[in-house]
Amino acid sequence: MYSQSEENYLKAIYHLEESSEKGVSTSKLSEELQTKAASVTEMLKRLAEKKLVNYQKYYGVSLTPKGKSWALAIIRKHRLWEYFLVECLNFNWDEVHEVAEQLEHIQSKKLVEELDCFLGRPSFDPHGDPIPNAAGVLPEFKKRRLSEFKVGDTLICKGFSDASSSFLQFLDQHKIGLDTLLSIKSIQEFDESMLVKVRNNEIMLSKTATQNIFVEIYKESKLKEKV
Amino acid sequence: MYSQSEENYLKAIYHLEESSEKGVSTSKLSEELQTKAASVTEMLKRLAEKKLVNYQKYYGVSLTPKGKSWALAIIRKHRLWEYFLVECLNFNWDEVHEVAEQLEHIQSKKLVEELDCFLGRPSFDPHGDPIPNAAGVLPEFKKRRLSEFKVGDTLICKGFSDASSSFLQFLDQHKIGLDTLLSIKSIQEFDESMLVKVRNNEIMLSKTATQNIFVEIYKESKLKEKV
DNA sequence: AATATTATTTAGCTTTGCCTAAAAATTTTA
DNA sequence: TAAAATTTTTAGGCAAAGCTAAATAATATT
């Protein structure tokens, strides 16, 4: 249907749209895809013709619903194959990416659906990334406390259990809100307080605080399990 | 390492070398690959540069040892994937070809070896075609056509040379598959069609059909040789 | 507000792999 | 064995997807 190259652009745009609030620029894309800006411009024009992206010269790009659903289909395939490689073929989770990059472009509805079924319809790939279902819907993440995680993990805030105004004011001061990204820099052993990076600032959170912040995994550290 | 297109040429040359005694001509290749003779000529020059084929203008082409071993690697992948699709993903044997054509080009030594291991190192794919091992060696099997046998012989199906989906569906309808037992009840002299017993049913097979079914002897008749 | 810097686009070139039409070589046939 | 028929190759184009260098638009600086 679409070329591998086109699919890679859709996937890259999707990932960049997810990971940054701002629109997706030509240069960001060229960096992501290890290609030159001029090549990106060309491709964006092609993708816009095919109604897969909204593209305005000099003002970046975004996916149309059609483009987004195609991107999700690729991501679904990628993550299912990663799961297969790790669970069935003894791959390590740091070896799967390259091969999954190839497998994600195989075209066959039946293949994907049967693979999904064969694997037991997993919701998360070996990196903890969510696997969209056949309709392109991502699974719900279960809320977990920030205090459960380990150094190196990157997390998205999904809720706060202590609704006291002093706690909320504290969060406000540090610009922590819904969908804020946090990454854990270090954990003090004696009181389990965490040094956390938020928008290029590093702040210290007490155990009381980390127990009251619900997060979802954004990216898990490759370090061995904490416990 | 090599492009999909180059790999498809190698595979096609391999198959044509196997199936006809004569050398492989430009026009045979263009027919096999559904492409024009002029395109074939071009590609053969490229493949010759890369030492994958011996090519002499106007006099056809043959694989070098390097080309042959690459072709066998592709065929190995193709047949392993077909086995996977049928055994693990509920594909019918007449549905697998198209997808295997894509999967055979995935580049990853580890993937192929682990898949082979996962599947239990099968020797034959769902059509009964032999699967080369990692060194490119084909399992022994003597191909004899059902049409070579005589009344009273009992045989085991070991492969089917016409992989068209209509032929495979015909076999399915009569519940003939790999390892199915057949015994020859009678042979019509005028058109060499056979009346064959399969699981208590008797069915009529045309000469075309019996020439495309490979068998091994299960029990030979004590009658005199047919020929 | 004008200029400098940076980002983006355009223009023109390359390679792969396909095409058609024309030319050349081989094979067939008379 | 020479002409006719067929096969193969060459020549010249096209589209995808990349590149570099030059031009242009947007943003930042003073």
Side-chain angles (χ1 to χ4, degrees):
Chain A
M1 203 58 156
Y2 301 111
S3 73
Q4 298 206 179
S5 201
E6 289 170 325
E7 291 189 340
N8 286 336
Y9 273 85
L10 294 178
K11 203 175 41 144
I13 297 166
Y14 179 88
H15 287 313
L16 291 173
E17 276 187 338
E18 290 299 291
S19 66
S20 74
E21 291 311 304
K22 297 165 186 173
V24 176
S25 68
T26 301
S27 52
K28 275 259 175 295
L29 263 173
S30 75
E31 194 187 328
E32 176 87 4
L33 291 162
Q34 303 276 65
T35 182
K36 301 290 159 166
S39 311
V40 173
T41 299
E42 262 189 296
M43 180 60 96
L44 292 183
K45 285 192 283 189
R46 272 194 293 262
L47 294 176
E49 288 252 316
K50 298 181 182 182
K51 310 283 183 202
L52 293 162
V53 301
N54 307 116
Y55 170 56
Q56 266 193 281
K57 266 189 189 177
Y58 295 103
Y59 292 92
V61 72
S62 65
L63 293 174
T64 62
K66 184 180 168 192
K68 186 175 175 181
S69 93
W70 200 267
L72 282 162
I74 308 290
I75 289 165
R76 169 168 164 76
K77 288 191 275 182
H78 183 101
R79 292 181 180 165
L80 284 172
W81 282 116
E82 286 197 346
Y83 190 95
F84 171 71
L85 294 172
V86 168
E87 294 299 317
C88 300
L89 302 193
N90 302 310
F91 275 64
N92 284 94
W93 72 342
D94 56 332
E95 298 175 311
V96 295
H97 190 71
E98 201 187 324
V99 185
E101 288 285 299
Q102 298 178 60
L103 287 163
E104 73 192 5
H105 299 294
I106 303 292
Q107 306 280 344
S108 163
K109 271 240 163 134
K110 179 168 171 108
L111 175 62
V112 185
E113 294 323 307
E114 291 288 345
L115 181 65
D116 188 25
C117 179
F118 178 69
L119 298 174
R121 306 204 181 281
S123 295
F124 298 92
D125 78 8
H127 305 101
D129 294 316
I131 302 176
N133 69 13
V137 179
L138 288 161
E140 275 303 316
F141 283 68
K142 48 193 175 307
K143 289 181 175 163
R144 294 175 63 188
R145 293 169 198 278
L146 178 55
S147 53
E148 298 167 36
F149 292 84
K150 57 187 189 301
V151 172
D153 289 345
T154 298
L155 307 147
I156 312 180
C157 291
K158 285 296 171 189
F160 311 96
S161 61
D162 178 353
S164 72
S165 66
S166 61
F167 182 56
L168 296 178
Q169 279 164 23
F170 166 79
L171 294 173
D172 264 349
Q173 274 161 30
H174 294 292
K175 301 215 172 64
I176 297 172
L178 285 178
D179 294 319
T180 300
L181 277 183
L182 306 174
S183 53
I184 303 175
K185 291 289 149 193
S186 64
I187 302 176
Q188 294 300 123
E189 248 186 80
F190 76 100
D191 68 354
E192 297 180 57
S193 63
M194 282 182 181
L195 186 64
V196 168
K197 188 168 155 195
V198 190
R199 287 187 241 277
N200 284 322
N201 296 314
E202 294 198 336
I203 61 170
M204 204 65 176
L205 297 174
S206 68
K207 191 182 183 187
T208 310
T210 62
Q211 284 177 324
N212 284 294
I213 298 175
F214 287 119
V215 295
E216 284 176 5
I217 294 173
Y218 179 74
K219 200 96 202 157
E220 201 161 354
S221 154
K222 283 164 188 165
L223 297 175
K224 283 280 170 227
E225 281 294 324
K226 172 184 154 193
V227 185
Chain B
M1 203 60 156
Y2 302 110
S3 73
Q4 297 207 179
S5 201
E6 289 170 325
E7 291 189 340
N8 286 336
Y9 274 85
L10 294 177
K11 206 175 38 142
I13 296 167
Y14 179 89
H15 287 313
L16 291 174
E17 276 187 338
E18 289 299 291
S19 65
S20 74
E21 291 311 304
K22 298 168 188 175
V24 177
S25 67
T26 301
S27 52
K28 276 258 175 299
L29 263 173
S30 75
E31 193 187 327
E32 176 86 5
L33 291 161
Q34 302 277 65
T35 181
K36 300 291 157 163
S39 311
V40 173
T41 299
E42 261 190 296
M43 180 59 96
L44 292 183
K45 286 194 281 188
R46 273 195 294 261
L47 295 175
E49 288 252 315
K50 298 182 182 183
K51 309 286 183 199
L52 293 163
V53 300
N54 307 115
Y55 170 55
Q56 264 193 283
K57 265 189 190 177
Y58 294 104
Y59 291 93
V61 72
S62 65
L63 293 175
T64 62
K66 185 180 167 191
K68 185 175 175 183
S69 94
W70 201 267
L72 281 162
I74 309 291
I75 289 165
R76 171 170 165 74
K77 287 190 277 182
H78 183 101
R79 293 180 180 167
L80 284 172
W81 281 117
E82 285 198 344
Y83 190 94
F84 171 72
L85 294 172
V86 168
E87 293 300 317
C88 301
L89 302 194
N90 302 311
F91 275 64
N92 283 97
W93 67 348
D94 58 325
E95 297 176 311
V96 295
H97 190 73
E98 201 187 325
V99 185
E101 288 285 300
Q102 299 178 60
L103 288 163
E104 73 191 4
H105 300 292
I106 303 293
Q107 304 282 339
S108 165
K109 270 239 163 135
K110 182 171 167 104
L111 175 62
V112 185
E113 294 323 306
E114 292 288 346
L115 181 64
D116 188 25
C117 178
F118 178 70
L119 298 175
R121 305 206 181 280
S123 295
F124 298 93
D125 79 6
H127 306 101
D129 294 316
I131 303 175
N133 69 14
V137 179
L138 287 162
E140 269 310 312
F141 99 114
K142 48 220 163 290
K143 280 189 177 174
R144 294 184 64 189
R145 296 170 194 277
L146 177 55
S147 53
E148 295 166 33
F149 292 85
K150 59 190 186 300
V151 172
D153 289 346
T154 297
L155 307 147
I156 312 179
C157 289
K158 286 296 172 187
F160 308 95
S161 62
D162 175 354
S164 70
S165 69
S166 60
F167 182 56
L168 297 176
Q169 280 164 22
F170 167 78
L171 295 173
D172 263 352
Q173 275 161 31
H174 296 293
K175 301 217 169 62
I176 298 174
L178 286 181
D179 296 322
T180 301
L181 277 183
L182 306 174
S183 52
I184 303 175
K185 291 289 152 194
S186 65
I187 301 176
Q188 295 298 123
E189 239 177 82
F190 78 103
D191 67 352
E192 294 173 63
S193 62
M194 281 183 182
L195 186 65
V196 166
K197 187 170 157 195
V198 189
R199 292 186 236 279
N200 287 322
N201 295 313
E202 292 196 346
I203 60 171
M204 204 63 176
L205 297 174
S206 69
K207 189 181 185 192
T208 308
T210 62
Q211 283 178 324
N212 282 295
I213 298 175
F214 291 115
V215 294
E216 272 176 13
I217 295 171
Y218 180 75
K219 199 160 191 77
E220 200 161 357
S221 151
K222 281 159 194 163
L223 297 173
K224 282 279 171 228
E225 281 291 327
K226 171 184 152 196
V227 182

